[in-house]
């Protein structure tokens, strides 16, 4: 039997907010609650799917209805779709697991990290997967499973990463810094300082704007051209029906048309 204590442990209700974006104005348009601790989210590149990963399941939602279509039992620490939309890769502890989107069948695993993986990202051509662990080690994976170490361990914690649209840059969030790295020679290009610890990153499809989620509950928007912060959403202002003693942005995702941000 499931005890009352177990029920309370299983049913964590975490807020997911959807924001409408147009001409620099960010307005909340929809929100819903999901079961489990939400740890990662991502849209497919064709805009047909929204993947939400929790501590217990991976759910694939149709963006036409925002209702779940497929559920896979697994811990999800991070998630990304391959650009062709046929595969989704999730981080589960120290392992990357790859699944077919249409069937939910597992295509294989990638192993090599010594610490928990905190984020994963496909390159725009789909030929590379970048992953970063909680110690700051970045590894690059090719489709054949070949692995190379891109970035060594760092003293900073809470890492997130995303490729630039041309695949030439890798953007890394580390503590209160946003780091820009050149993929070809694995050398840092520039870095910017945020006001609060970075927890997650999402790049606008036009490649010009970076959304940065923070531990303090804010979503900052940065121009990749100028390196300047252009706008801020205060997560404390999101209206909910349940008490929230702490507000932290754990995951962000832009829709492919750039008009919607999920937090």
């Amino acid at each position: 039997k499931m005890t009352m204590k177990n029920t309370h442990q299983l049913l964590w209700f975490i807020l997911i907010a959807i924001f409408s974006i147009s001409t620099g104005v960010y307005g909340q348009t929809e929100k819903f609650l999901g079961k489990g601790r939400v740890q990662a989210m991502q849209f497919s590149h064709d805009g047909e799917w929204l993947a939400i990963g929790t501590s217990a399941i991976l759910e694939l939602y149709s963006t036409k209805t925002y209702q779940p279509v497929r559920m896979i039992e697994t811990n999800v620490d991070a998630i990304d779709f391959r650009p062709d939309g046929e595969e989704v890769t999730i981080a589960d502890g120290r392992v990357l697991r790859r699944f077919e989107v249409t069937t939910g069948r597992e295509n294989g695993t990638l192993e090599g990290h010594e610490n928990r993986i905190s984020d994963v990202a496909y390159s725009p051509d789909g030929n590379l997967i970048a992953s970063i662990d909680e110690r700051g080690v970045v590894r690059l994976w090719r489709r054949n499973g070949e692995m190379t170490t891109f970035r060594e361990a760092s003293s900073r914690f809470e890492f997130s990463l995303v490729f630039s649209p041309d695949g030439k840059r890798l953007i890394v969030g580390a503590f209160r810094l946003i780091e820009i790295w050149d993929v070809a020679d694995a050398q840092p290009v520039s870095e910017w300082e945020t006001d609060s610890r970075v927890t997650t990153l999402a790049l606008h499809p036009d490649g010009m704007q970076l959304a940065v989620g923070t531990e303090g509950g804010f979503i900052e928007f940065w121009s990749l051209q100028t390196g300047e912060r252009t706008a801020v959403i205060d997560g404390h202002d999101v209206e909910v029906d349940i008490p929230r003693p702490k507000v932290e942005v754990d995951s962000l995702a832009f829709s492919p048309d750039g008009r919607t941000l999920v937090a």
Side-chain angles (χ1 to χ4, degrees):
K1 287 185 177 181
M2 180 178 291
T3 66
M4 184 63 70
K5 179 180 179 181
N6 290 335
T7 302
H8 287 165
Q9 290 175 339
L10 289 173
L11 299 183
W12 283 53
F13 289 92
I14 304 299
L15 176 72
I16 300 172
I18 301 180
F19 298 92
S20 175
I21 299 177
S22 61
T23 62
V25 177
Y26 305 90
Q28 182 186 334
T29 60
E30 185 177 351
K31 63 178 182 289
F32 57 97
L33 297 172
K35 294 182 180 179
R37 177 178 173 82
V38 176
Q39 301 183 146
M41 297 182 295
Q42 191 57 264
F43 281 99
S44 62
H45 289 247
D46 61 10
E48 295 293 321
W49 299 95
L50 171 64
I52 297 178
T54 77
S55 53
I57 57 174
L58 169 65
E59 288 185 303
L60 296 178
Y61 285 76
S62 165
T63 56
K64 295 181 176 64
T65 63
Y66 284 108
Q67 295 298 314
V69 175
R70 184 162 293 106
M71 183 179 70
I72 300 170
E73 292 186 4
T74 179
N75 170 67
V76 183
D77 294 313
I79 186 169
D80 198 19
F81 284 92
R82 197 167 67 196
D84 62 13
E86 297 180 1
E87 183 178 83
V88 61
T89 293
I90 63 106
D92 179 2
R94 294 180 291 179
V95 177
L96 295 175
R97 302 178 64 187
R98 300 156 56 196
F99 296 94
E100 281 188 5
V101 172
T102 54
T103 66
R105 184 180 67 184
E106 188 165 1
N107 287 337
T109 61
L110 300 172
E111 300 183 33
H113 279 284
E114 298 177 356
N115 298 282
R116 185 186 67 86
I117 300 170
S118 54
D119 206 1
V120 60
Y122 278 93
S123 62
D125 61 10
N127 291 327
L128 287 176
I129 297 175
S131 56
I132 186 168
D133 66 27
E134 61 187 3
R135 297 296 299 178
V137 176
V138 176
R139 303 199 189 281
L140 296 181
W141 311 79
R142 300 192 179 276
R143 284 202 179 189
N144 61 6
E146 177 186 345
M147 179 194 72
T148 59
T149 300
F150 179 85
R151 180 186 191 269
E152 298 293 343
S154 169
S155 60
R156 306 179 185 124
F157 294 92
E158 292 296 337
F159 295 88
S160 183
L161 53 72
V162 63
F163 278 95
S164 62
D166 60 9
K168 295 181 179 180
R169 298 283 188 269
L170 193 61
I171 305 168
V172 178
F175 194 59
R176 293 191 177 187
L177 291 178
I178 301 166
E179 303 173 351
I180 313 295
W181 290 73
D182 185 271
V183 173
D185 59 15
Q187 293 297 314
V189 176
S190 60
E191 64 179 35
W192 313 322
E193 187 172 353
T194 62
D195 290 338
S196 183
R197 186 161 59 92
V198 177
T199 53
T200 184
L201 301 175
L203 187 65
H204 193 278
D206 65 10
M208 308 296 287
Q209 187 173 208
L210 182 72
V212 180
T214 72
E215 183 184 42
F218 295 90
I219 303 171
E220 301 180 2
F221 294 85
W222 290 75
S223 167
L224 289 185
Q225 283 187 316
T226 65
E228 296 179 349
R229 187 172 53 191
T230 59
V232 177
I233 291 176
D234 186 347
H236 301 80
D237 293 337
V238 177
E239 296 181 3
V240 297
D241 299 324
I242 56 176
R244 293 190 297 163
K246 180 181 179 182
V247 179
E248 178 177 325
V249 182
D250 291 318
S251 188
L252 293 170
F254 280 105
S255 62
D257 63 9
R259 298 176 62 184
T260 302
L261 176 68
V262 178

